Amino acid sequence: MRHEPTGKNIAAYLRISSDTQDASSQKITIEQWAKKHGLTIAFWFEDSEGRNSRDKAEKRTNFQRLLKAVEAGLVDTIIVDRQDRFGTKDAWEFGKFASTLQEHGCELWSATQGLLTSNDDATVLTSTLGAITSRREQVDKGFRQVRARIVNAGKGLVQGGYPAFGLDHVCFGTDGKEKWRVVYEGHHKRLKVYPDGTTERYDGKGNF
């Protein structure tokens, strides 16, 4: 198996699942790996606003831009931190994307795992297992989140995230009276409203 990338037009892809996370560690890892291999990254594609689920590649704007750049012949090599940052819902979808990359002469490299799209048996096996593991982790995470929501609901606690459409997050005191509520006006746009009508804004990423 070859251990050195050969492409000249290098792109890096960053993905975080939600905007409560930070892509900086991925970027540092990729930059260090590229420097070690004497590569210059010409293009950065980053999905870090809102939710960027690994199983919804069609909704990741910059991932789709990256694929279009590959199909246009503008990218020879893609670098990601780890395979699951590339993001596919299962081994079948990873195979579809890998096939697209190969058709256009583009390699997919992980800064921590090596070449992910080689035709040798070992790489095909490990990349497929990586996609399967990623899918299993996602399913397990979903079960854990649902379980936590059920437990917290019984305790009167909120798991987090946006409330259902048309609803607010409301805080009640031990006397059963409302202390305040948060009205969601849009993505990262929140208004805290007190019973006396006074308000405070909590707009922006992570400002809650």
Side-chain angles (χ1 to χ4, degrees):
M1 175 180 166
R2 184 164 50 78
H3 294 284
E4 292 291 334
T6 59
K8 296 181 179 179
N9 299 313
I10 313 295
Y13 177 68
L14 310 174
R15 179 186 69 85
I16 56 176
S17 300
S18 69
D19 46 25
T20 60
Q21 301 173 343
D22 190 345
S24 60
S25 62
Q26 295 179 46
K27 185 173 184 179
I28 291 171
T29 300
I30 290 173
E31 287 177 332
Q32 291 176 341
W33 186 86
K35 182 178 180 180
K36 176 182 177 181
H37 291 273
L39 303 175
T40 299
I41 299 174
F43 312 105
W44 287 90
F45 295 85
E46 180 175 351
D47 283 312
S48 59
E49 294 292 330
R51 295 188 177 277
N52 303 288
S53 175
R54 74 186 78 181
D55 65 341
K56 297 186 183 301
E58 71 281 1
K59 294 187 177 182
R60 284 185 265 134
T61 302
N62 284 304
F63 182 82
Q64 294 300 320
R65 287 182 57 238
L66 173 60
L67 292 182
K68 285 182 172 58
V70 169
E71 293 169 350
L74 301 176
V75 177
D76 301 319
T77 301
I78 300 171
I79 307 172
V80 293
D81 177 17
R82 302 186 310 277
Q83 182 177 349
D84 69 335
R85 293 297 96 193
F86 186 72
T88 56
K89 62 184 175 183
D90 51 32
W92 297 106
E93 186 172 69
F94 179 80
K96 180 183 75 172
F97 290 141
S99 178
T100 297
L101 298 185
Q102 287 194 334
E103 287 175 8
H104 295 87
C106 181
E107 295 180 342
L108 175 63
W109 284 80
S110 160
T112 56
Q113 297 162 288
L115 181 60
L116 299 174
T117 53
S118 173
N119 281 323
D120 68 273
D121 292 345
T123 300
V124 172
L125 179 60
T126 54
S127 294
T128 301
L129 288 174
I132 292 172
T133 300
S134 178
R135 171 61 178 169
R136 184 179 297 118
E137 288 175 349
Q138 189 174 33
V139 172
D140 290 344
K141 181 179 179 181
F143 278 122
R144 290 195 300 271
Q145 289 177 337
V146 170
R147 189 180 299 114
R149 288 180 183 273
I150 293 172
V151 172
N152 286 333
K155 297 178 181 179
L157 302 176
V158 177
Q159 179 72 8
Y162 290 117
F165 182 75
L167 301 181
D168 304 327
H169 275 148
V170 183
C171 175
F172 293 95
T174 56
D175 58 0
K177 294 182 179 180
E178 181 177 326
K179 299 179 69 175
W180 47 262
R181 69 175 53 219
V182 175
V183 179
Y184 288 79
E185 299 177 335
H187 188 49
H188 295 326
K189 294 182 68 65
R190 297 169 286 264
L191 183 68
K192 187 176 184 180
V193 182
Y194 293 93
D196 63 3
T198 58
T199 61
E200 297 177 11
R201 296 216 63 89
Y202 286 87
D203 297 335
K205 180 178 178 179
N207 181 28
F208 181 67

